[in-house]
Amino acid sequence: QVQLVESGGGLVQAGGSLRLSCAASGRTFSTYAMGWFRQAPGKEREFVAAISWTGGSTFYADSVKGRFTISRDNAKNTVYLQMNSLKPEDTAVYYCAADRSVTFGKDFNYYSDYMKYDYWGQGTQVTVSS
């Protein structure tokens, strides 16, 4: 199985940037699609971004498109979420997740569904002040 550990969260002013990292254990990490989700108090878990196991496809929620970038470095068993132009509404606990499926052709509907992911990290808090 895969163990995921997020890091890089913190407090930042609106307009600032943070880079989240998700370090994964497991021999088969490179075959796993990876996603980022977030959850604010009193709100539903929300899809943020995902990247296919090859890194060839990325998907973003409309709310973060153009501001956030997901990437992966399979040699380091790490997925990143670069967050720029942060807004107070980005405040949430951010979770990374791994999908062990090796199926090709998955679309936005697949990656944005948290039920599709098999492994989850403990989360890292991101707070954006106004």
Side-chain angles (χ1 to χ4, degrees), residues 26-117:
R27 191 172 297 171
T28 60
F29 170 80
S30 63
T31 69
Y32 287 15
M34 300 294 296
W36 286 96
F37 291 77
R38 66 188 183 187
Q39 188 165 23
K43 293 187 175 181
E44 298 284 340
R45 180 164 29 184
E46 178 186 24
F47 171 73
V48 177
I51 187 166
S52 63
W53 72 272
T54 64
S57 298
T58 57
F59 303 87
Y60 298 94
D62 287 341
S63 60
V64 306
K65 193 174 299 182
R67 300 188 298 121
F68 291 10
T69 302
I70 188 171
S71 62
R72 67 190 299 159
D73 186 341
N74 288 346
K76 297 180 179 180
N77 291 338
T78 302
V79 63
Y80 304 97
L81 185 68
Q82 178 66 46
M83 305 186 295
N84 299 325
S85 301
L86 283 162
K87 305 174 181 179
E89 53 261 43
D90 295 318
T91 295
V93 176
Y94 283 70
Y95 301 91
C96 73
D99 170 23
R100 66 185 177 185
S101 173
V102 295
T103 302
F104 289 93
K106 291 179 284 188
D107 60 10
F108 178 87
N109 288 336
Y110 182 95
Y111 286 115
S112 63
D113 182 359
Y114 69 88
M115 293 293 291
K116 297 299 194 295
Y117 293 82

